[in-house]
Amino acid sequence: MKKGNPWALLPIAVFLLLFISVGIIDQRAGGMFGDSMPAIVGFLIALIVAFLQNPPGKKLTFEEKLNTMARGAGEENIMIMCLVFILAGAFSASVKAAGGADATVNFGLSILPSNIAVVGVFVIGCFISTSMGTSVGTIIALAPIAIGISEKTGISMPLCIGATVCGAMFGDNLSMISDTTIAATRTQGCGMKDKFRENFKIAIAPAIITAVLFYLSTRGVNYTPTEALTYDFIRIIPYLVVLIGAMVGLNVFLLLTGGTVLSLAIGLFYGDFAFLDIFKIMGEGITGMYDITVISIIVAGVVSLVRQNGGIDWVLYMIRKCIRGRRGAEVGIAALSSVVDCSTANNTVAIVIAGPIAKEIAEDYKISPQRTASLLDIFTSVFQGIIPYGAQLLYAAAATEMALTPVSSIEIVRYCYYPILLGVSALVFIAFGKKDA
């Protein structure tokens, strides 16, 4: 068993130290944790540090290191993942421009009884986030409704916003077009529908219990929307096509391309935008995925150099010393992904970083790719949904700034039932679930 080289992990340590330190300084100055330092800048600095290192007992030329970095950055799964990110951005922007997001919200609110308004926010959030593949987008769409429910019924504002966050994190973990799903499946080399089935078994019980908890917390309270909930079901069809198509195993590239074309056709039919606008809409959606695409490429290059210098071998050596058997390996993958997410405050970035290490652990202990992908996605989503400095809770808190009773991200955490229950469910599944094939 190779002991590896712990100093090879210095680039990742430098990134985490910079990212967290700058975030804390920014927070104390009145900013939002991590906002003052884009992740891509931190990873570029980490890449420079990686170039300054060498494997034990060797001295590589700059060209050799550059080739190693390029092979890692251009690895097949990384390139496919980046292409899916781009297509997912085009689809999300197109369907939103065609009124799909608003139609989905209004459709959900119109069919749910008014006496379960907060439960309805959670359920609608689950559907929207699973359809759209974005937790932050779901929070932005639903937060104003949750705020209105709180102000008109007297229900706790943190509880109403917590229901929004819970629904958003449900789809962030399960959606076929979520960037976390794309990253998890591509780094582990498994199909999206296989990972979905693995995740769903773990996620369904926490979702049901969460709905019950919100019902018990708000029973007897009615909420009647003050504005007409108009919607056209045709606008929701692109979401359903992509969601159902992905579940039955259709090619994700064809689905996202077809969904984008269908969304744009619907938008043109209803006059939501002109023909020439479709290129701008798609461009804006693709641009919105630039950060995570470039970060994925740079991180892959950094990890490739870290592996060459013995860093991955050292991590695997330490994990093997601490764990026993397959269940222990699964706990190790869960812990690894959780720690990285808490450090980076971005679950997609955390998966990209932890994915290669998790894959090697899984291969050593005969854990299937879909289970490994599921564990990566679940535990990064668990902590992303409860850390008060993560984008989800910061956006949720920011949405209440103009409300009668604004709340902080810390106040919302106690009502984030779903992420907490999801973590518990996953640990129970690891401890008592059947071994995968």
Side-chain angles (χ1 to χ4, degrees):
M1 183 186 301
K2 295 181 180 179
K3 288 189 177 181
N5 174 27
W7 288 106
L9 296 171
L10 184 61
I12 296 175
V14 167
F15 165 76
L16 295 178
L17 181 63
L18 279 173
F19 190 80
I20 295 173
S21 299
V22 172
I24 292 173
I25 293 170
D26 178 56
Q27 187 183 42
R28 289 180 176 177
M32 290 166 55
F33 185 96
D35 247 21
S36 55
M37 179 179 172
I40 184 60
V41 176
F43 282 119
L44 281 175
I45 295 172
L47 183 62
I48 293 171
V49 174
F51 266 105
L52 296 176
Q53 294 184 301
N54 286 288
K58 296 182 181 179
K59 186 170 179 62
L60 302 177
T61 65
F62 179 82
E63 287 74 17
E64 289 174 322
K65 296 175 183 178
L66 189 63
N67 288 336
T68 298
M69 186 275 293
R71 282 194 297 271
E75 198 270 329
E76 178 182 349
N77 282 324
I78 298 298
M79 289 295 100
I80 292 175
M81 177 173 68
C82 291
L83 182 55
V84 175
F85 281 151
I86 291 170
L87 290 174
F91 169 73
S92 295
S94 300
V95 75
K96 183 177 180 181
D102 292 336
T104 302
V105 172
N106 289 347
F107 171 71
L109 287 174
S110 66
I111 64 174
L112 288 169
S114 61
N115 63 339
I116 56 168
V118 176
V119 177
V121 168
F122 169 64
V123 173
I124 296 167
C126 291
F127 180 73
I128 295 175
S129 58
T130 303
S131 303
M132 294 173 61
T134 166
S135 52
V136 171
T138 300
I139 291 169
I140 292 172
L142 272 183
I145 296 171
I147 292 169
I149 291 173
S150 174
E151 291 181 343
K152 292 173 184 177
T153 63
I155 297 174
S156 163
M157 180 72 75
L159 186 147
C160 290
I161 296 296
T164 303
V165 174
C166 287
M169 296 314 298
F170 177 87
D172 187 79
N173 174 237
L174 280 175
S175 175
M176 299 291 184
I177 60 171
S178 168
D179 48 6
T180 60
T181 293
I182 295 166
T185 53
R186 295 316 311 178
T187 58
Q188 303 309 307
C190 68
M192 290 187 179
K193 68 172 183 178
D194 297 324
K195 181 259 185 188
F196 176 86
R197 290 169 181 166
E198 194 77 23
N199 264 33
F200 190 76
K201 293 183 292 185
I202 301 172
I204 187 61
I208 293 172
I209 296 172
T210 297
V212 171
L213 289 174
F214 281 128
Y215 173 74
L216 294 176
S217 300
T218 60
R219 63 186 182 278
V221 177
N222 288 316
Y223 167 73
T224 303
T226 55
E227 57 184 26
L229 298 173
T230 58
Y231 66 89
D232 193 320
F233 191 79
I234 292 177
R235 297 180 187 272
I236 306 174
I237 290 177
Y239 283 140
L240 297 176
V241 168
V242 172
L243 180 61
I244 296 172
M247 289 178 65
V248 299
L250 297 181
N251 184 278
V252 66
F253 293 100
L254 296 178
L255 275 176
L256 290 174
T257 302
T260 301
V261 172
L262 180 59
S263 301
L264 294 173
I266 290 173
L268 288 172
F269 176 78
Y270 281 102
D272 297 314
F273 42 78
F275 178 78
L276 292 180
D277 291 333
I278 65 176
F279 305 106
K280 180 181 178 181
I281 291 168
M282 292 176 63
E284 289 175 349
I286 292 170
T287 302
M289 301 299 283
Y290 277 1
D291 276 358
I292 190 59
T293 301
V294 175
I295 286 173
S296 298
I297 294 171
I298 298 298
V299 169
V302 172
V303 171
S304 183
L305 289 169
V306 168
R307 176 182 287 107
Q308 176 180 258
N309 295 334
I312 303 299
D313 287 336
W314 184 82
V315 171
L316 294 173
Y317 174 76
M318 295 303 296
I319 289 176
R320 291 187 189 105
K321 285 181 63 176
C322 298
I323 62 180
R324 296 291 182 273
R326 288 168 47 137
R327 297 192 193 279
E330 290 178 1
V331 172
I333 292 170
L336 173 69
S337 52
S338 300
V339 170
V340 177
D341 182 74
C342 290
S343 301
T344 60
N346 185 307
N347 45 346
T348 307
V349 172
I351 290 171
V352 173
I353 294 173
I357 301 174
K359 184 175 178 62
E360 295 203 29
I361 297 172
E363 289 174 350
D364 283 353
Y365 289 90
K366 308 294 188 246
I367 303 170
S368 70
Q370 60 264 29
R371 178 167 291 190
T372 309
S374 177
L375 291 173
L376 281 170
D377 204 347
I378 284 175
F379 282 96
T380 52
S381 291
V382 164
F383 284 90
Q384 193 65 27
I386 59 177
I387 52 174
Y389 52 87
Q392 288 75 5
L393 285 175
L394 288 175
Y395 271 102
T400 69
E401 287 180 357
M402 301 303 293
L404 297 176
T405 55
V407 299
S408 69
S409 59
I410 295 176
E411 292 177 274
I412 302 170
V413 172
R414 62 180 294 191
Y415 297 106
C416 292
Y417 302 136
Y418 176 73
I420 296 170
L421 290 170
L422 179 64
V424 173
S425 177
L427 290 174
V428 170
F429 185 79
I430 290 173
F432 302 106
K434 294 180 180 179
K435 291 184 178 181
D436 57 340

